[in-house]
Amino acid sequence: MGVFDFLFKWIRSKKTEPKFETPPEAKAEPKPEKKPAPKPTPKPKPNLKPKPKPKPKPKPKVEVDAELVVGFDFGTAFSKVVIRDYSHGIVGKSYAVSFGSLGSSMNEYLIPARIFYDGGNSISLSSNSGEEISNLKLGPLNHQSCSEEDDQFATGYIALVLRETRRWFFAKYGDSYKNRKIIWSLNIGLPSRSYEDEELCSKFRSLAIAGWALSNESEPLTIENINQKLNIARNFLSQSQQPRIPNGFLHRGDINVVPEIIAEVVGYAKSDLRVDGLHMVLDIGASTTDLASFIIHQDNDNLDDNYEILTAEVKNFGVISFDNAKNEGHGSFENLRRNFYTFIGDTNREMRDIRCGNDWMRGFPLFLCGGGAKIKFYRDTVKTINRNLKSTTSFSGFNFKQIPKPGDLEAHAISIDSYHRLAVAYGLSFRKLDIGRIVPKSVISDMPPPPPPPKTRTRYYQDKEDHYWGT
């Protein structure tokens, strides 16, 4: 090939060929870009720590039953009520019932022992409702001469006070008991000397359980309704086997009668101040004075408190007698002083000569309680006989004590000095089993007498015998 032929071919190869637009639909779709292959996930290292346990779901709040014990101190002039809720710890929490305008103007926890009868059929605690009837407890206590009307009025009074008790309690603490079943029981006090009288104890149980049933009703209280409930209560309690519980009534085992003197010292017996051994309580009420001696000790088998009653006497040396004697003049007043002195002296003589001579000589705690305990006349008389017994016998003397105010009692308006007015109701607010075992006077055998005094002083004791006992 010549030079010209080579150049011609080279020139033709350098010429650009015309470009033709390719239609959009004919365009080739772009190839997808290749993504890099994912890196292999490294295997997790084994966790050697134990897995935390899942938190348990909160359990729904279950409201437990509430066990409430009503302690009813049925007094001659005033009554007192304490409610104990056993939901709070071992001994629970106690509440002194305030009666507001129905209570005493001097002490809201004291409600007068009186009713007002309209002369027709209904009774009330309001002074606007008819004739006043008082001394409601004395009629049933003298059960041999007690009339049916006495029992009816006492039952009506118990019912009305329990109504006020329930109304106050639920108004103040009702929110805590909205969704709870309440298990109730009721303890009522009786003079210590009357505790061995089975007929009298049965009577007061009938009054109390009928009063409880009536307190569950809202309609006005009538004599007809009271009489009906009393008859049901008597029949219910008299049956040998447990009958069907009438509507509104408590179980028979949930109504108890307890000696007032023993109930009065339950708070002391459960306190750190308690001392086992011989004790005496002198309770000066409106109409009567209750004097009892007893021995406190723990049962060796079950550690329950035992109260062994040695002496128990009740006399009409209350504040009413004191006021009457003072108004009648010097002779009547001195006669009361002499009789009251002899009353205490006779009990101490019985303790020394018959019941517990050795324990008596060593001395023992004496509690002055009741509405008359602060009256100088009574206190001076007790101090006088204490001084005479110490100077004329081998007696070591009374150890005057004050019943301590318990820490679990909610009673903002009561002071330590005036707590003794609530002591019986407080003690009654415990379960009967928690109070302890009460041994009546008739069951306790006489203890051996103390050894005779030294010969050199024998004549002295004999000469003074009549004087220091107050006879």
Side-chain angles (χ1 to χ4, degrees):
M1 175 184 302
V3 175
F4 292 103
D5 292 332
F6 174 80
L7 291 171
F8 180 78
K9 286 184 177 180
W10 181 81
I11 291 169
R12 287 189 64 182
S13 65
K14 294 297 181 185
K15 285 184 178 180
T16 58
E17 297 182 346
K19 294 182 179 179
F20 297 95
E21 288 290 335
T22 307
E25 61 273 8
K27 287 184 179 179
E29 293 187 9
K31 294 180 181 180
E33 294 182 6
K34 290 184 178 180
K35 294 182 179 180
K39 294 180 180 179
T41 306
K43 292 183 178 180
K45 294 181 180 179
N47 186 8
L48 301 179
K49 294 181 180 180
K51 291 183 178 180
K53 293 181 180 180
K55 293 182 179 180
K57 294 181 180 180
K59 295 181 179 180
K61 188 176 180 181
V62 178
E63 295 287 1
V64 297
D65 294 347
E67 181 186 358
L68 301 182
V69 182
V70 179
F72 194 120
D73 178 13
F74 186 4
T76 306
F78 295 97
S79 294
K80 288 77 68 179
V81 180
V82 171
I83 298 176
R84 180 172 301 278
D85 181 357
Y86 270 93
S87 304
H88 302 275
I90 297 175
V91 298
K93 186 175 181 62
S94 56
Y95 308 91
V97 176
S98 169
F99 294 101
S101 61
L102 290 173
S104 165
S105 58
M106 303 295 292
N107 190 328
E108 66 191 70
Y109 303 111
L110 276 60
I111 184 166
R114 66 186 181 192
I115 57 172
F116 294 89
Y117 183 42
D118 66 2
N121 198 27
S122 63
I123 65 172
S124 169
L125 293 175
S126 172
S127 59
N128 300 323
S129 303
E131 175 193 1
E132 179 180 335
I133 299 174
S134 55
N135 294 325
L136 299 170
K137 187 179 181 180
L138 296 182
L141 278 178
N142 300 320
H143 61 99
Q144 293 177 347
S145 60
C146 176
S147 68
E148 184 65 16
E149 189 179 61
D150 291 334
D151 285 351
Q152 291 168 352
F153 285 154
T155 301
Y157 173 73
I158 292 171
L160 292 170
V161 172
L162 287 173
R163 278 187 188 179
E164 285 300 316
T165 295
R166 192 179 286 108
R167 183 200 59 75
W168 172 85
F169 185 73
F170 285 117
K172 194 169 180 65
Y173 303 105
D175 289 345
S176 302
Y177 299 90
K178 276 183 178 177
N179 301 315
R180 303 171 70 183
K181 177 184 176 183
I182 298 178
I183 302 170
W184 292 97
S185 58
L186 173 64
N187 295 330
I188 192 165
L190 199 64
S192 301
R193 189 182 65 179
S194 305
Y195 186 62
E196 294 192 68
D197 189 331
E198 293 184 5
E199 185 179 344
L200 190 59
C201 287
S202 178
K203 173 194 278 285
F204 269 77
R205 288 187 74 207
S206 297
L207 303 183
I209 201 167
W212 178 271
L214 288 163
S215 73
N216 286 314
E217 301 175 355
S218 57
E219 58 266 19
L221 216 53
T222 66
I223 296 297
E224 180 183 358
N225 199 10
I226 294 170
N227 191 50
Q228 181 186 21
K229 288 293 191 293
L230 258 179
N231 289 332
I232 295 174
R234 289 162 179 160
N235 180 61
F236 176 55
L237 294 175
S238 64
Q239 297 184 41
S240 56
Q241 295 182 346
Q242 175 65 46
R244 182 184 65 83
I245 301 175
N247 187 38
F249 278 66
L250 290 171
H251 187 283
R252 293 194 300 188
D254 292 330
I255 177 77
N256 298 289
V257 173
V258 178
E260 293 163 345
I261 287 287
I262 300 302
E264 201 155 21
V265 297
V266 166
Y268 160 77
K270 295 185 180 298
S271 75
D272 295 336
L273 301 177
R274 170 228 180 100
V275 177
D276 283 3
L278 181 62
H279 293 73
M280 178 180 279
V281 174
L282 178 62
D283 190 314
I284 305 161
S287 294
T288 60
T289 295
D290 197 343
L291 178 63
S293 64
F294 49 90
I295 292 176
I296 302 177
H297 68 91
Q298 278 193 331
D299 191 294
N300 293 329
D301 295 330
N302 53 25
L303 299 182
D304 286 343
D305 288 330
N306 276 17
Y307 301 87
E308 299 176 352
I309 300 175
L310 301 178
T311 64
E313 289 296 332
V314 179
K315 296 287 186 181
N316 293 324
F317 296 137
V319 178
I320 294 175
S321 297
F322 168 76
D323 288 338
N324 291 339
K326 189 169 61 172
N327 293 333
E328 290 170 4
H330 178 74
S332 180
F333 193 75
E334 287 304 312
N335 187 52
L336 175 64
R337 186 192 304 277
R338 183 168 54 253
N339 290 337
F340 181 65
Y341 185 102
T342 302
F343 170 58
I344 301 172
D346 286 345
T347 293
N348 279 273
R349 186 204 296 269
E350 180 183 359
M351 292 168 66
R352 190 199 73 162
D353 293 347
I354 302 173
R355 303 300 280 165
C356 54
N358 288 322
D359 288 336
W360 179 86
M361 285 195 307
R362 287 193 288 267
F364 48 85
L366 170 63
F367 298 98
L368 282 174
C369 308
K374 299 296 183 183
I375 297 178
K376 188 173 184 296
F377 163 79
Y378 294 106
R379 301 184 72 85
D380 286 349
T381 305
V382 174
K383 289 177 182 178
T384 299
I385 195 168
N386 181 56
R387 185 169 58 249
N388 290 345
L389 289 173
K390 287 173 67 177
S391 65
T392 59
T393 74
S394 53
F395 181 52
S396 297
F398 300 133
N399 179 12
F400 292 98
K401 281 185 175 289
Q402 180 173 308
I403 296 178
K405 181 183 178 183
D408 70 277
L409 177 65
E410 190 168 302
H412 65 89
I414 206 79
S415 66
I416 294 175
D417 288 338
S418 59
Y419 162 72
H420 64 95
R421 303 297 302 275
L422 289 176
V424 174
Y426 176 83
L428 291 170
S429 72
F430 283 87
R431 298 186 192 108
K432 181 73 181 296
L433 288 175
D434 289 342
I435 291 174
R437 179 170 171 258
I438 301 169
V439 186
K441 175 182 175 181
S442 60
V443 177
I444 305 298
S445 59
D446 298 335
M447 300 179 185
K455 290 183 179 180
T456 54
R457 299 181 64 192
T458 300
R459 183 65 189 166
Y460 178 75
Y461 284 127
Q462 291 174 345
D463 289 345
K464 296 290 184 179
E465 184 75 16
D466 287 343
H467 170 70
Y468 62 73
W469 297 117
T471 55

